[in-house]
Amino acid sequence: MEFTKSHGLRGEITVPGDKSISHRAVMFGSIAKGLTEIHNFLQGADCLSTIACFEKMGISIENRGDRVLVQGNGLHGLKKPDCVLDCGNSGTTTRLISGILCAQDFTVTLTGDESIQKRPMKRIMDPLSLMGADITSLQGNGCAPLLIKGGPVHGIHYPSKVASAQVKSAILLAGLYADSPTSVTEPYVSRNHSEIMLDLFGAQVSAEDTTATIQPASELNGAKVMVPGDISSAAYFIAAGLMVPGSQVLIRNVGINPTRDGILRVCQDMGADLQLLNRSEGAGEPTADILVRWGALHGTEIGGAIIPTLIDELPMIAAMACLAEGRTVIRDAAELKVKESNRIAVMVESLRSMGADVTETEDGMIIQGGRPLHGASIDSRGDHRIAMTFAVTALCADGATDIRGADCVTISYPRFYEDLQGLMV
């Protein structure tokens, strides 16, 4: 798919529902008792994989597009599937569902696409095994396919080496079934959508500093979930509005949970013209309209506790830094190496091909901004974040940019290109 330089973006947009929250609403609704009604559910391939997995375990799920209705069977109401559960490209599905499955009374195999079968699962296998779970990597490499033999689990306190919401959530979900409280301590606080939503469904969950704790549950109750716009999807329009000369873009109803709003803080550190309007909060998830206007940006340093709050947005931030004056340093971001692609290596290679001055480091990159960019041929590696990042970056580059594998955006944002085109002046 080919992209060329833009003369500016103008208008307003509403991005799809939050991917993390959509996944969790289906999962928690499936193991709750009664009806869960999900509004603004993300109709992306990853979240549809979660629906498919739970339908294969006997859960009735009605996908009406604007609403998803989940008829939960309770904590112990899942049925043994008659086939392997295919998680597609979704690491969230694979890791979180493992926490639920390890406490069931049946055996199941989890698999996914080629990318999932290379992504590290030992990070959830180890703590779940400490809880008594029986999980085996069938290839012996710590990746999917995973064979999970369900059984009793017990509570633990787990000091996680990584600040990962997927690791934390897998442990907390297993903790619902445990014989004593379960807690996870992280080096930094990762996104807390699971804790917020578990509370909505009636679980006893608490957080103190970087530790989250859950009590064993006898039952969860179905709930109404209003899914805010996904800030990770909004990030591309935030960046486009700031990068493309003459632009002004308003993004409506975006989730601005403090464990996810790192991109807003980084943009402000870079001198961005960015305003939050119409703030509100429902069921613990704050939202706002985000107004951005093009203007001069300058480099910044990004690392430490802010990294978990913007890990998915770092490719777009790196591209934005190429147009900012001065130096930007991204560190403590080694987690980017184990996403759908090695996003550090891919970003460095691809940005250089467009004329940027980027140096790869062990856990991030150093970007000398202010150099003009030109079109190039970009291989998305099947990574939706890479494809969307370079669709936006191409709008600021001389000449044409061709993105191979551009259709991978269906994983999280099926209408991305149409929505981007709709803002073009």
Side-chain angles (χ1 to χ4, degrees):
M1 187 176 289
E2 190 172 273
F3 299 84
T4 56
K5 196 167 189 175
S6 170
H7 298 295
L9 285 77
R10 290 268 168 175
E12 63 180 64
I13 187 170
T14 301
V15 296
D18 188 284
K19 186 153 76 85
S20 296
I21 296 173
S22 295
H23 277 301
R24 286 160 174 79
V26 170
M27 292 188 189
F28 300 178
S30 295
I31 60 173
K33 204 75 174 173
L35 181 67
T36 290
E37 188 175 328
I38 309 166
H39 293 258
N40 198 34
F41 178 84
L42 172 60
Q43 299 288 339
D46 274 11
C47 295
L48 295 178
S49 292
T50 292
I51 286 180
C53 285
F54 281 93
E55 285 181 325
K56 287 172 183 172
M57 291 187 286
I59 302 300
S60 174
I61 302 176
E62 185 179 350
N63 189 348
R64 297 182 179 177
D66 59 332
R67 286 187 304 156
V68 172
L69 305 178
V70 181
Q71 189 62 52
N73 290 341
L75 278 174
H76 300 280
L78 298 179
K79 297 176 182 176
K80 178 180 173 61
D82 57 8
C83 59
V84 170
L85 294 182
D86 186 351
C87 300
N89 186 251
S90 178
T92 303
T93 306
T94 310
R95 295 190 178 110
L96 269 63
I97 205 172
S98 296
I100 295 171
L101 293 176
C102 72
Q104 303 303 313
D105 61 358
F106 53 78
T107 296
V108 65
T109 299
L110 282 182
T111 192
D113 66 9
E114 185 179 352
S115 169
I116 282 296
Q117 293 183 36
K118 296 177 181 176
R119 295 176 68 181
M121 295 299 156
K122 200 169 185 299
R123 55 179 54 186
I124 55 121
M125 294 171 64
D126 286 348
L128 293 177
S129 297
L130 290 174
M131 298 178 76
D134 187 341
I135 305 181
T136 304
S137 168
L138 292 179
Q139 301 297 326
N141 60 355
C143 302
L146 302 178
L147 178 67
I148 303 177
K149 299 179 180 179
V153 294
H154 55 263
I156 61 168
H157 172 235
Y158 186 70
S160 180
K161 294 178 181 178
V162 294
S164 165
Q166 293 180 6
V167 172
K168 176 174 61 176
S169 297
I171 298 167
L172 294 178
L173 285 169
L176 288 169
Y177 299 87
D179 56 7
S180 59
T182 296
S183 59
V184 184
T185 298
E186 302 179 286
Y188 305 109
V189 177
S190 64
R191 58 185 67 174
N192 65 352
H193 300 305
S194 289
E195 296 94 305
I196 290 171
M197 195 179 294
L198 283 166
D199 180 72
L200 178 66
F201 278 77
Q204 289 182 266
V205 60
S206 59
E208 184 175 351
D209 296 326
T210 64
T211 298
T213 302
I214 195 163
Q215 304 294 323
S218 57
E219 203 61 271
L220 301 180
N221 300 306
K224 184 176 182 179
V225 180
M226 306 298 294
V227 182
D230 196 323
I231 194 168
S232 295
S233 295
Y236 304 102
F237 298 99
I238 293 170
L242 297 175
M243 292 167 68
V244 180
S247 295
Q248 177 173 304
V249 179
L250 179 67
I251 309 114
R252 297 277 189 192
N253 189 41
V254 180
I256 54 167
N257 182 308
T259 65
R260 292 283 300 282
D261 71 350
I263 186 171
L264 303 181
R265 286 179 271 157
V266 165
C267 287
Q268 288 164 341
D269 287 346
M270 296 176 78
D273 185 347
L274 182 152
Q275 292 177 268
L276 298 182
L277 310 172
N278 302 317
R279 290 174 181 254
S280 64
E281 185 160 340
E285 293 287 355
T287 63
D289 298 340
I290 303 173
L291 177 64
V292 294
R293 298 183 184 90
W294 173 76
L297 302 175
H298 55 76
T300 188
E301 295 209 4
I302 307 166
I306 200 172
I307 292 294
T309 73
L310 47 62
I311 192 70
D312 287 333
E313 292 75 68
L314 278 172
M316 191 68 258
I317 291 170
M320 193 163 58
C322 293
L323 298 180
E325 287 299 323
R327 188 175 80 151
T328 294
V329 178
I330 298 172
R331 54 182 170 78
D332 303 321
E335 187 72 8
L336 288 177
K337 295 180 176 180
V338 293
K339 292 290 187 177
E340 285 86 336
S341 65
N342 179 339
R343 289 178 179 164
I344 293 178
V346 173
M347 286 303 301
V348 170
E349 176 188 335
S350 301
L351 288 171
R352 281 178 175 171
S353 74
M354 297 183 77
D357 183 349
V358 188
T359 302
E360 181 175 350
T361 64
E362 184 65 27
D363 61 352
M365 60 192 89
I366 300 170
I367 301 161
Q368 299 290 344
R371 292 179 58 167
L373 301 180
H374 56 73
S377 179
I378 304 295
D379 185 350
S380 73
R381 270 73 165 191
D383 188 331
H384 56 134
R385 304 288 178 204
I386 299 298
M388 289 188 279
T389 291
F390 283 98
V392 170
T393 308
L395 305 182
C396 311
D398 292 322
T401 296
D402 179 62
I403 301 176
R404 300 195 299 278
D407 59 351
C408 62
V409 301
T410 57
I411 289 167
S412 63
Y413 198 156
R415 285 188 48 82
F416 174 71
Y417 298 121
E418 293 92 330
D419 286 353
L420 187 63
Q421 183 65 38
L423 293 171
M424 300 289 189
V425 173

